[in-house]
Coordinates of all heavy atoms in Angstrom, one line a residue:
F7 N 47.7 -93.5 127.8 CA 47.3 -92.7 128.9 C 46.6 -93.5 130.0 O 47.0 -93.3 131.2 CB 46.2 -91.7 128.3 CG 45.6 -90.9 129.4 CD1 46.2 -89.8 130.0 CD2 44.3 -91.2 129.8 CE1 45.6 -89.0 131.0 CE2 43.7 -90.4 130.8 CZ 44.4 -89.4 131.4
W8 N 45.7 -94.4 129.6 CA 45.1 -95.2 130.7 C 46.0 -96.2 131.3 O 45.9 -96.5 132.5 CB 43.8 -96.0 130.1 CG 42.8 -95.0 129.7 CD1 42.3 -94.7 128.5 CD2 42.1 -94.1 130.6 NE1 41.3 -93.7 128.6 CE2 41.2 -93.3 129.9 CE3 42.1 -93.9 132.0 CZ2 40.3 -92.4 130.5 CZ3 41.2 -93.0 132.6 CH2 40.4 -92.2 131.8
I11 N 47.7 -94.0 133.9 CA 46.7 -93.7 135.1 C 46.6 -95.0 135.9 O 46.6 -94.9 137.2 CB 45.3 -93.3 134.5 CG1 45.5 -92.0 133.8 CG2 44.3 -93.2 135.7 CD1 46.0 -90.8 134.6
L21 N 46.1 -88.7 142.8 CA 45.8 -88.2 141.4 C 44.9 -87.0 141.6 O 43.8 -87.1 142.2 CB 45.1 -89.3 140.6 CG 44.9 -88.9 139.1 CD1 46.2 -88.6 138.4 CD2 44.2 -90.0 138.4
V22 N 45.3 -85.9 141.1 CA 44.6 -84.6 141.2 C 44.2 -84.2 139.7 O 44.9 -84.4 138.8 CB 45.5 -83.5 141.7 CG1 44.8 -82.2 141.8 CG2 46.0 -83.9 143.1
F23 N 42.9 -83.8 139.6 CA 42.4 -83.4 138.3 C 41.6 -82.1 138.4 O 40.7 -81.9 139.3 CB 41.5 -84.6 137.9 CG 40.8 -84.4 136.5 CD1 41.6 -84.2 135.4 CD2 39.4 -84.6 136.4 CE1 41.0 -84.0 134.1 CE2 38.8 -84.5 135.1 CZ 39.6 -84.2 134.0
A38 N 32.8 -86.3 126.2 CA 33.5 -85.7 127.3 C 33.0 -86.3 128.6 O 33.8 -86.6 129.5 CB 33.2 -84.2 127.3
R39 N 31.7 -86.4 128.8 CA 31.1 -87.0 130.0 C 31.7 -88.4 130.3 O 32.0 -88.7 131.4 CB 29.6 -87.0 129.9 CG 29.0 -85.7 130.0 CD 27.4 -85.8 130.0 NE 26.8 -84.5 130.0 CZ 25.9 -84.1 129.2 NH1 25.3 -85.0 128.3 NH2 25.4 -82.9 129.3
D40 N 31.8 -89.2 129.2 CA 32.3 -90.6 129.4 C 33.7 -90.6 129.9 O 34.1 -91.3 130.8 CB 32.2 -91.4 128.1 CG 30.8 -91.7 127.7 OD1 29.9 -91.6 128.5 OD2 30.6 -92.1 126.5
F41 N 34.6 -89.7 129.2 CA 36.0 -89.6 129.6 C 36.1 -89.1 131.1 O 36.8 -89.7 131.9 CB 36.7 -88.7 128.7 CG 38.1 -88.4 129.2 CD1 39.1 -89.3 129.0 CD2 38.4 -87.2 129.9 CE1 40.4 -89.1 129.5 CE2 39.6 -87.0 130.4 CZ 40.7 -87.9 130.2
Y42 N 35.4 -88.1 131.4 CA 35.4 -87.5 132.7 C 35.0 -88.5 133.8 O 35.6 -88.6 134.8 CB 34.6 -86.2 132.8 CG 35.3 -85.0 132.3 CD1 35.9 -84.9 131.0 CD2 35.3 -83.8 133.0 CE1 36.5 -83.8 130.5 CE2 35.9 -82.6 132.5 CZ 36.5 -82.7 131.3 OH 37.1 -81.6 130.8
Q43 N 33.9 -89.2 133.5 CA 33.5 -90.2 134.5 C 34.5 -91.3 134.7 O 34.7 -91.7 135.8 CB 32.1 -90.8 134.1 CG 31.0 -89.9 134.4 CD 29.6 -90.5 134.4 OE1 29.2 -91.1 133.4 NE2 28.9 -90.5 135.5
K44 N 35.2 -91.7 133.7 CA 36.2 -92.7 133.8 C 37.4 -92.2 134.6 O 37.8 -92.8 135.5 CB 36.6 -93.2 132.4 CG 37.6 -94.3 132.5 CD 37.9 -94.9 131.1 CE 38.9 -96.1 131.2 NZ 39.2 -96.7 129.9
I45 N 37.9 -91.0 134.2 CA 39.1 -90.5 134.9 C 38.7 -90.1 136.4 O 39.6 -90.3 137.3 CB 39.7 -89.3 134.2 CG1 41.1 -88.9 134.8 CG2 38.8 -88.0 134.3 CD1 42.2 -89.9 134.5
L46 N 37.5 -89.6 136.6 CA 37.2 -89.3 138.0 C 37.2 -90.5 138.9 O 37.4 -90.3 140.1 CB 35.8 -88.5 138.0 CG 35.9 -87.1 137.4 CD1 34.5 -86.6 137.1 CD2 36.6 -86.2 138.3
G47 N 36.9 -91.7 138.4 CA 37.0 -92.9 139.2 C 38.4 -93.1 139.8 O 38.5 -93.9 140.7
Y48 N 39.4 -92.5 139.2 CA 40.8 -92.7 139.7 C 41.2 -91.5 140.6 O 42.3 -91.6 141.3 CB 41.7 -92.7 138.5 CG 41.7 -93.9 137.6 CD1 40.8 -93.9 136.5 CD2 42.5 -95.0 137.8 CE1 40.8 -95.0 135.7 CE2 42.5 -96.1 137.0 CZ 41.6 -96.1 135.9 OH 41.6 -97.2 135.1
C49 N 40.5 -90.5 140.6 CA 40.9 -89.2 141.3 C 40.8 -89.2 142.8 O 39.7 -89.7 143.3 CB 40.2 -88.0 140.7 SG 40.7 -87.7 139.0
D50 N 41.7 -88.6 143.4 CA 41.7 -88.4 144.9 C 41.2 -86.9 145.2 O 40.5 -86.7 146.2 CB 43.1 -88.6 145.5 CG 43.6 -90.0 145.2 OD1 43.0 -90.9 145.8 OD2 44.5 -90.1 144.4
L78 N 31.3 -90.5 142.9 CA 32.3 -91.2 142.0 C 33.6 -91.6 142.7 O 34.4 -92.2 142.0 CB 32.6 -90.2 140.8 CG 31.4 -89.9 139.9 CD1 31.9 -88.8 138.9 CD2 30.9 -91.1 139.2
V80 N 35.7 -89.6 144.6 CA 36.6 -88.5 144.8 C 36.6 -88.1 146.3 O 35.6 -87.8 146.9 CB 36.3 -87.3 144.0 CG1 37.3 -86.2 144.3 CG2 36.4 -87.6 142.5

Side-chain angles (χ1 to χ4, degrees):
F7 173 79
W8 291 114
I11 296 300
L21 188 62
V22 178
F23 180 54
R39 286 181 185 135
D40 290 345
F41 171 81
Y42 278 52
Q43 281 194 300
K44 185 173 181 179
I45 191 69
L46 289 165
Y48 291 89
C49 292
D50 301 291
L78 294 174
V80 177

